Every structure is written in structure tokens, then in C-alpha cells.
């Protein structure tokens, strides 16, 4: 039976556009998901399509436990066991996620080098302090050299990380020492970024690694090449060249589109085009040009991770998250949807063909049939951006009658980078995580949760995120968010200081004293590496153990859909963090593989996976883990004693 619209999303702007789409006969991901149920064999990881003797299907018997005999018979033509098949599928997905973040990081590293050499004049080094810090961390000589000289050395060093063949990734040494030793013990300290992706493809190819535990351990290695490699390099460089984010107030949801202006949405991941578009849209000449076409101005908005980048660095409004991309076109008010790479639905081309919207691809790696391709050239960035914006402006006169922009938009504060959290909680003059650690030790903050990831039309859009986040903050867990779920909380009003009223007494008192929301926007998905850095800083500040797995810190992706989310989850786990996913789980067809991920990984890495589709139950699994870690640290009793009298509140305010 088809779901009613109300079961598809909890976001009123989305529901309003879904109703418009249905009335106008437009196909959306929501509708397509209704029409086609997921392939049960692929969904549980038991289809092996890696050679032409198959695809081999080795599903579980439906509705009952399998017998040992049946398990033995579940083999591919080559004899591969169901465990090998499920593990291969899992590792390939992680490798794809790592490759995506890695390729993004590589583009940033090359751009950084070009900037340092003066070959990309539209950009410059914005955060000198971060440049010097990274140079210091990686042993690049500073002396009295210019920023550009330092940046050339640093850029070359970072570019080499991708193709490095031996040794260890340089940024691994940022992790607590105990963690580094553990990675070496299990042989999962990555050598380079590309090599681990290539070896994943090799190991999972027909007839290579056929020991599921070994495969899964390698999956942890390739994931670490994402978190402590490609993603971390991407984030660090983006901060250096585009600026380290600091809290900034803006608005989110489809209501940010404007009836009387040229609306342009930038959708995708890599921020170099967005950076120049944000500048060019404010150029008086471009605005005048828009006026000649009858518009009152140019309204630039972001979508998906690009939106996070633009929101936190430029205060450019955010039109919405992953499942809203087609619906932005359904408003009838969008002159151009400009895309680069990752998470861009091909369905956009069909939707755009039903309205006047121009779908413009800008990256040679991400072309779409029937879209207009306008290659972005970062060496000539302003001209590229201007050409794209002109196409959008020229398209304004083609706007049809079918315009309806939802009214919903919410205030949100974005941009709580690791550095900002450090300053805000530590005070301007003594930036440190000490007060955060103290508030965790005294129990006002029970723990910290990273709730990240995508939307998925197989569940109710935004609902899992909101239920989980609300439950966590109610129980005094400070929530840090990235990606599309940061947007879900932003739309629901959880990313403003006033949302502290939904938090438990302890968390509320801290939020009120510092003036922060209980749910912090930390950035795009690539910025999950910020969470690793923040957690490491907590360990280094003392009092909460000597490894990441000791911290009362947990992770979750209740509405995930992308392979990138699995890579992130796996590097959280391999970094020692308990991580729970919702919606669906890709190894349910093999009990052994799931048990390894859900139990044995814990003994190896101190962190493990869990799967729980009910977001409130999942929140309680996270809280349980937080409490377990608090107990092991001997700080569980502190929480019970917390009574918030006036003196304690005054003490907090003095922080
Ligand atoms: Ni992350 Fe960004 Fe969103 Fe999921 Fe896609 S936009 S990198 S993968 S869908 S959170």
C-alpha cells in the first residue's frame, strides 16, 4: 500500500511541494521509492555481482532462522561463503565512500598548491593561523618564510598523501598515542589514501581475500584513510583557503527562495565554485543585469553539503537537504540548479525538463544526460562563475505560471568548528576543552553525540533525526551535527540558543551560560573529521581517559543512504566510537558478518557498530554506551549528585 504524504516527511515545506508535485504529475524520489521496493537480496548484502559466473544470490531463508546445513549451502558458484560475499559488499561500499571524500580532498590539495603558486588568483590563504598550525603539525619549516612558501611545501606534502605507497598517513599522529598503537597492532594504520582504496577493490575481486574477518578489518583500514586522510585533508585545506567557520546566523528551508529575484541553487560538495558564486552574486553589475530582466536581485542558496559550506562561511541561505533537491525545482521559482559532484539525483534532469529550470553541471567528473555542462575553471574562477550566473539571469523571463514557494524557513546558527567550540567553551583568553571536560565530569553534560548523515526515502524524511536528537538533548547529551541531518535539525529550530529549553537541566544550564544551542552545526559531511579532532582534544585535555574509546562520545546516522556514510561510520568505529545506524543495514543476510561488526569489533577497536531503526531506541543505546563509559571512567556518581542551585549556575556563568 502506498504511503500517505504525511508518512513521507515531517517537514511542512517538503509536504507542500510533494502535494504540488503530485498535482502537476512530477515524479520524485519519494514517489519512485514507493513504486519500487528495495531488492531484498542486495539490501541484505547477499548478492555477489563481482564476476560473470553470477550474479550469485545467496539469501537467508525468509521468516525463520537458517540451519547450519543451510548456511553451508549458501555459496556462490566459486564457493564463496555468504560471509565472504556480505563482507566484500560491505568493504566495497566503504571503499567507494573513502574514494569520494578522498577525491574531494585531492582537489582541495591541488587547488591549495595552485593558490600558493599564484595560479588561482581568485582565492587566497584566509586562515594564516591554521596554515601555520598544520605546517607545525606536519613538520614543515616556518622560519621567516612567507605564507605562500610554507603553503607550497605543505601543499606538496599533502598531495603526496594520496599516492603514498608506504609508511603511515601523516595525520594519524594527531590521534591519541594509544589509538595509534592499536591501529598498528591490527595492521590498519593506512599507508596512503589511494592505495587503500585500490587494495580494497583488489581484495574484494573474485578469488582474492576470502576470510570475512580479514576483509572487514581491511574495511576499517580504508575507512581510516578517509577520516584521518582524505576528509581531514579536505577540511583542513578548506579552512585555510576559505576560512575556518565561526558561528553565523542564517535561514534554512525552501522558504529562502524569493518570488521576485533570480533564484540559483548550488548543490553538491566541493566549495571552490560556491566561494566565487557567493562573491559574483553580489557584484552590482550582475545585480543590474538581473534588473534588466525584471528581477529585483539575485538570490543564491545552497543545497546538501555545499549548502553547509556556504552557510557557515558566507551566511548564504540553505534551501534544504538531500530529499528536497527535486522539490526545489517543483517550486517553479528556480532559474538554475548548479551542481558539481556527489548526491546529485539524476531525477533532477527530468524534473527540470517540466519547468523552466536550467540544470547546469560544472565538474568534468559529474555530467548528467540532458543537463547543460559549463565546466568550472578554478584558474579563471570569476569568469566561470559569471557565465553560469548570466545563464540563470537570462532564464528569469522564462518563469512560468506554476510558481509556489513554501513559506517555511527557520533561523539556524551554523559553523561550530572545532576551533570555535574550543573558544566558546573555553573562553576567549584560554581556548581549551577544559570546561567541556569539566562539565562532562561533573555530569551537567552527560556525553557528546555526533548525529550525521543523509536522508533516505525508505524512512520518513527528517523524522528519525529529530526523534533521536530530541531524545539525546533531553537526556543532557550535547549533539554535534554535519551533513543533511544538521539541516533537518536546523529546519526544526533546534540550532538556535532558544532550543536549550528542550534540553535536560544540566545541558540547558551549560547552553544558557555559554549562549549556544544544544545542537551544534559542525559542517558538511567531509567535516566529520572535525569530530575526530574535537574528541582527540578532549582526550588530551585530561580527565576522560587516554583514548577516544574511553570518552562518553557516540555516533549515529539514523537516515543514512550514501556509501560515504558507511565510510564515516566505519572510521568512527575504528577510532573507538560506538556508532548506530538506522533505516537499513547492508549485512543482515549474514549473521557472522553482522556479529563481527556489532560485537567483535568492540574487542578489537573499542568501538563497534549497531543497527536500530527505531530512533528513540537507538538514542537509548547511545545513552547506555555513554553511561557505560562514564562508569568505567569513575564519573558516573558525579551525575547523580548534580543539583542546580544558584551557586552552581553562577559558577557556570563565570566560565
Ligand atoms: Ni553526506 Fe553530503 Fe547529504 Fe548524505 Fe549526501 S549531501 S556528503 S552523503 S545525502 S549527508
Amino acid at each position: 500500500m502506498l504511503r500517505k504524504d504525511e508518512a513521507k516527511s515531517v517537514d511542512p515545506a517538503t509536504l507542500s511541494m510533494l502535494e504540488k508535485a503530485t498535482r502537476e504529475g512530477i515524479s520524485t524520489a519519494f514517489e519512485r521509492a514507493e513504486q519500487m521496493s528495495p531488492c531484498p537480496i542486495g539490501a541484505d548484502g547477499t548478492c555477489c555481482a563481482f564476476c560473470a559466473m553470477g550474479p550469485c544470490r545467496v539469501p537467508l531463508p525468509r521468516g525463520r532462522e537458517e540451519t547450519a546445513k543451510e548456511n553451508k549451502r549458501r555459496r556462490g558458484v566459486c564457493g564463496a561463503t555468504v560471509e565472504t560475499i556480505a563482507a566484500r559488499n560491505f568493504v566495497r561500499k566503504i571503499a567507494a565512500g573513502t574514494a569520494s571524500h578522498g577525491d574531494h580532498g585531492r582537489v582541495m590539495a591541488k587547488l591549495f598548491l595552485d593558490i600558493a603558486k599564484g595560479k588561482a588568483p581568485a582565492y587566497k590563504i584566509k586562515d594564516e593561523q591554521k596554515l601555520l598550525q598544520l605546517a607545525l603539525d606536519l613538520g614543515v619549516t616556518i622560519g621567516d618564510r612567507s605564507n605562500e612558501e610554507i603553503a607550497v611545501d605543505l601543499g606538496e606534502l599533502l598531495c603526496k598523501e594520496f599516492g603514498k605507497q608506504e609508511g603511515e598517513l601523516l595525520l594519524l599522529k594527531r590521534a591519541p598515542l594509544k589509538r595509534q598503537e592499536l591501529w598498528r597492532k591490527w595492521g590498519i594504520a593506512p599507508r596512503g589514501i589511494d592505495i587503500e582504496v585500490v587494495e580494497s577493490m583488489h581484495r574484494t575481486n573474485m578469488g582474492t581475500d576470502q576470510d570475512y574477518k580479514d576483509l572487514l578489518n581491511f574495511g576499517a583500514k580504508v575507512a581510516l584513510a578517509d577520516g584521518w586522510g582524505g576528509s581531514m585533508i579536505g577540511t583542513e585545506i578548506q579552512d585555510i583557503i576559505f576560512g575556518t567557520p565561526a558561528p553565523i546566523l542564517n535561514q534554512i528551508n525552501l522558504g529562502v527562495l524569493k518570488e521576485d529575484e533570480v533564484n540559483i541553487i548550488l548543490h553538491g560538495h566541493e566549495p571552490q565554485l560556491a566561494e566565487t558564486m557567493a562573491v559574483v552574486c553580489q557584484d552590482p553589475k550582475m545585480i543590474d543585469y538581473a534588473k534588466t530582466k525584471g528581477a529585483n536581485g539575485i538570490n543564491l542558496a545552497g543545497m546538501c553539503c555545499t549548502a553547509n559550506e556556504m552557510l557557515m562561511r558566507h551566511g548564504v541561505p540553505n534551501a534544504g537537504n538531500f530529499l528536497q533537491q527535486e522539490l526545489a525545482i517543483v517550486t517553479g521559482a528556480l532559474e538554475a540548479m548548479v551542481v558539481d559532484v556527489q548526491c546529485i539525483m539524476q531525477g533532477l534532469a527530468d524534473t527540470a525538463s517540466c519547468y523552466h529550470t536550467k540544470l547546469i553541471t560544472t565538474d568534468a567528473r559529474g555530467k548528467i544526460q540532458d543537463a547543460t555542462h559549463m565546466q568550472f575553471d578554478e584558474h579563471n574562477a570569476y569568469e566561470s562563475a559569471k557565465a553560469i550566473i548570466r545563464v540563470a539571469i537570462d532564464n528569469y523571463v522564462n518563469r512560468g505560471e506554476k510558481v509556489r514557494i513554501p513559506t517555511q524557513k527557520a533561523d539556524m546558527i551554523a559553523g561550530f568548528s572545532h576551533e570555535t567550540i574550543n573558544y566558546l567553551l573555553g573562553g576567549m583568553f584560554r581556548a581549551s576543552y577544559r570546561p567541556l571536560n569539566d562539565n562532562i565530569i561533573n555530569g551537567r553534560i552527560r556525553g557528546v553525540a555526533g548525529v550525521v548523515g543523509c536522508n533516505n526515502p525508505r524512512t520518513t524524511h527528517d523524522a528519525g533525526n529529530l526523534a533521536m536528537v530530541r531524545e539525546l538533548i533531553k537526556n543532557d547529551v550535547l549533539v554535534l551535527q554535519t551533513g543533511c541531518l544538521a539541516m533537518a535539525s536546523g529546519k526544526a529550530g533546534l540550532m538556535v540558543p532558544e532550543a536549550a529549553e528542550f534540553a535536560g537541566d544540566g545541558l540547558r544550564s551549560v547552553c544558557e551560560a555559554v549562549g549556544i544551542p544544544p545542537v551544534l552545526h559542525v559542517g558538511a559531511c567531509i567535516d566529520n573529521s572535525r569530530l575526530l579532532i574535537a574528541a582527540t582534544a578532549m582526550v588530551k585535555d585530561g580527565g576522560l581517559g587516554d583514548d577516544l574509546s574511553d570518552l562518553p562520545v557516540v555516533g549515529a546516522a539514523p537516515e543514512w543512504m550514501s556509501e560515504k556514510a558507511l565510510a564515516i561510520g566505519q572510521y568512527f568505529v575504528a577510532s573507538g566510537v560506538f556508532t548506530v545506524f538506522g533505516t537499513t543495514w547492508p549485512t543482515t543476510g549474514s549473521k557472522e558478518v553482522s556479529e563481527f561488526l556489532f560485537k567483535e569489533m568492540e574487542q578489537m577497536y573499542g568501538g563497534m557498530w549497531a543497527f536500530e531503526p527505531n530512533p528513540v531506541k537507538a538514542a537509548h543505546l547511545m545513552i547506555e554506551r555513554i553511561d557505560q563509559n562514564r562508569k568505567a571512567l569513575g564519573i558516573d556518581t558525579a551525575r547523580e549528585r548534580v543539583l542546580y542551585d544558584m551557586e552552581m549556575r553562577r559558577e557556570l556563568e563565570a566560565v
Side-chain angles (χ1 to χ4, degrees):
M1 201 180 78
L2 297 187
R3 291 188 300 176
K4 291 213 168 85
D5 275 359
E6 292 71 50
K8 292 178 188 161
S9 177
V10 291
D11 170 30
T14 297
L15 289 173
S16 141
M17 286 304 100
L18 275 177
E19 180 268 325
K20 186 172 186 283
T22 310
R23 205 154 30 80
E24 291 170 6
I26 308 297
S27 157
T28 64
F30 290 92
E31 186 222 87
R32 294 188 293 272
E34 293 296 301
Q35 304 295 347
M36 177 179 56
S37 45
C39 162
I41 305 170
D44 69 9
T46 55
C47 170
C48 186
F50 297 168
C51 85
M53 293 190 285
C56 298
R57 291 155 299 157
V58 288
L60 268 175
R62 297 278 147 202
R64 63 175 172 82
E65 281 273 310
E66 70 174 337
T67 62
K69 215 166 149 195
E70 282 172 328
N71 179 269
K72 275 212 158 335
R73 277 207 302 265
R74 286 209 287 147
R75 286 173 187 272
V77 172
C78 70
T81 61
V82 65
E83 289 77 38
T84 297
I85 290 171
R88 271 181 189 159
N89 281 312
F90 192 66
V91 172
R92 277 219 174 169
K93 287 181 203 302
I94 296 173
T98 301
S100 305
H101 286 146
D103 215 30
H104 174 164
R106 180 201 329 276
V107 167
M108 288 306 128
K110 287 169 84 175
L111 176 61
F112 178 51
L113 204 49
D114 280 351
I115 296 168
K117 292 179 177 168
K119 291 186 194 161
Y123 311 97
K124 59 180 184 347
I125 290 162
K126 272 206 184 137
D127 190 335
E128 184 189 23
Q129 210 186 335
K130 195 146 186 171
L131 168 79
L132 299 180
Q133 184 59 54
L134 190 60
L136 211 62
D137 285 358
L138 299 185
V140 172
T141 310
I142 296 176
D144 53 5
R145 302 200 302 161
S146 71
N147 283 348
E148 287 67 29
E149 284 171 313
I150 297 167
V152 169
D153 282 0
L154 189 56
E156 276 167 359
L157 197 63
L158 292 173
C159 280
K160 278 194 197 130
E161 289 296 272
F162 293 90
K164 208 159 80 182
Q165 304 295 312
E166 51 199 28
E168 283 179 8
L169 280 178
L170 293 171
L171 290 169
L172 296 189
K173 57 175 181 239
R174 284 186 157 180
L177 284 176
K178 214 172 157 187
R179 183 60 28 190
Q180 296 178 39
E181 279 157 23
L182 199 71
W183 290 335
R184 287 179 199 121
K185 176 182 164 194
W186 293 110
I188 57 169
R191 298 156 289 183
I193 297 160
D194 298 355
I195 193 172
E196 309 308 354
V197 175
V198 170
E199 190 170 322
S200 302
M201 299 306 282
H202 180 194
R203 281 179 181 245
T204 52
N205 186 26
M206 192 267 144
T208 308
D209 198 352
Q210 290 156 118
D211 174 335
Y212 74 94
K213 292 187 182 181
D214 199 53
L215 273 165
L216 295 171
N217 194 44
F218 196 83
K221 187 173 187 175
V222 69
L224 288 173
D226 177 358
W228 297 84
S231 280
M232 200 175 276
I233 291 174
T235 295
E236 292 289 309
I237 293 177
Q238 285 173 192
D239 283 357
I240 293 172
I241 60 185
F242 305 135
T244 302
I248 183 165
L249 174 72
N250 214 299
Q251 291 187 313
I252 180 162
N253 215 340
L254 289 169
V256 303
L257 296 179
K258 293 189 177 154
E259 196 105 19
D260 58 349
E261 295 192 12
V262 174
N263 288 307
I264 304 172
I265 286 184
L266 267 169
H267 167 25
H269 285 80
E270 295 177 3
Q272 64 274 34
L273 168 62
E275 287 287 319
T276 34
M277 293 274 281
V279 176
V280 175
C281 279
Q282 286 171 17
D283 180 342
K285 279 196 205 127
M286 294 308 275
I287 296 170
D288 285 347
Y289 184 56
K291 286 186 178 158
T292 66
K293 304 286 172 183
N296 278 337
I298 308 167
N299 181 37
L300 186 65
M303 190 149 249
C304 285
C305 281
T306 290
N308 281 321
E309 307 273 8
M310 292 166 76
L311 178 67
M312 66 185 179
R313 291 207 178 86
H314 295 285
V316 169
N318 184 328
N321 52 8
F322 177 69
L323 277 178
Q324 292 180 284
Q325 54 186 287
E326 292 166 312
L327 302 177
I329 297 178
V330 173
T331 61
L334 190 61
E335 276 58 55
M337 171 73 90
V338 183
V339 302
D340 60 0
V341 287
Q342 300 175 23
C343 303
I344 294 143
M345 292 191 195
Q346 190 167 357
L348 289 176
D350 271 351
T351 317
S353 71
C354 302
Y355 298 87
H356 75 304
T357 308
K358 287 251 186 265
L359 176 63
I360 302 174
T361 53
T362 61
D363 190 300
R365 295 164 298 174
K367 294 190 179 165
I368 301 176
Q369 196 186 333
D370 298 332
T372 306
H373 187 73
M374 297 179 76
Q375 183 61 42
F376 175 65
D377 175 9
E378 53 241 331
H379 304 108
N380 205 2
Y382 286 123
E383 284 316 309
S384 290
K386 276 183 193 161
I388 293 169
I389 293 167
R390 262 189 230 113
V391 169
I393 293 174
D394 289 341
N395 197 25
Y396 183 73
V397 294
N398 298 322
R399 224 186 244 189
E401 294 296 300
K402 299 187 282 186
V403 174
R404 195 175 93 208
I405 300 173
T407 50
Q408 290 84 5
K409 55 182 169 184
D411 283 345
M412 77 181 273
I413 298 177
F416 289 89
S417 57
H418 145 70
E419 288 80 354
T420 299
I421 299 174
N422 215 1
Y423 275 121
L424 279 178
L425 289 165
M428 285 309 275
F429 304 107
R430 52 181 182 102
S432 89
Y433 274 66
R434 194 66 254 151
L436 175 62
N437 282 19
D438 286 346
N439 277 311
I440 290 175
I441 292 166
N442 68 28
R444 290 182 188 111
I445 295 177
R446 190 174 192 156
V448 179
V451 180
V452 308
C454 328
N455 301 138
N456 188 327
R458 300 287 171 201
T459 180
T460 308
H461 170 228
D462 292 349
N465 171 70
L466 295 182
M468 175 181 279
V469 168
R470 287 197 173 113
E471 195 64 20
L472 289 169
I473 61 173
K474 193 172 89 189
N475 284 284
D476 292 323
V477 177
L478 176 68
V479 176
L480 307 185
Q481 294 207 270
T482 61
C484 288
L485 290 194
M487 300 179 213
S489 293
K491 286 187 282 175
L494 294 174
M495 288 190 164
V496 286
E498 296 75 28
E501 67 171 293
F502 304 116
D505 279 354
L507 177 61
R508 187 173 69 227
S509 62
V510 176
C511 290
E512 284 171 358
V514 187
I516 54 170
V519 186
L520 302 181
H521 176 285
V522 183
C525 276
I526 200 155
D527 296 327
N528 281 313
S529 57
R530 296 187 199 279
L531 303 183
L532 301 176
I533 300 285
T536 304
M538 287 166 72
V539 171
K540 290 188 175 158
D541 232 284
L544 292 173
D546 53 8
D547 193 0
L548 301 172
S549 51
D550 296 332
L551 295 170
V553 167
V554 290
E559 300 180 41
W560 76 282
M561 65 85 202
S562 170
E563 292 167 318
K564 290 178 285 173
L566 283 179
I568 293 165
Q570 184 62 74
Y571 74 63
F572 275 8
V573 168
S575 299
V577 180
F578 172 79
T579 303
V580 50
F581 271 39
T583 309
T584 181
W585 184 252
T587 69
T588 42
S590 165
K591 206 167 145 216
E592 281 73 13
V593 169
S594 300
E595 295 241 317
F596 187 81
L597 300 170
F598 298 159
K599 288 193 186 133
E600 279 180 59
M601 276 202 169
E602 157 108 286
Q603 277 122 48
M604 297 170 72
Y605 315 139
M608 65 177 201
W609 290 96
F611 170 54
E612 174 50 69
N614 178 319
V616 175
K617 281 191 191 158
H620 282 281
L621 290 180
M622 296 158 82
I623 294 166
E624 244 172 60
R625 170 53 62 112
I626 285 173
D627 287 351
Q628 210 175 302
N629 285 10
R630 294 185 66 87
K631 193 162 180 206
L633 288 165
I635 55 171
D636 51 327
T637 46
R639 246 191 85 69
E640 287 153 25
R641 276 190 271 116
V642 178
L643 289 170
Y644 298 92
D645 58 19
M646 277 316 288
E647 201 186 329
M648 282 171 82
R649 282 184 175 260
R650 267 197 298 272
E651 181 201 318
L652 256 177
E653 273 149 30
V655 162

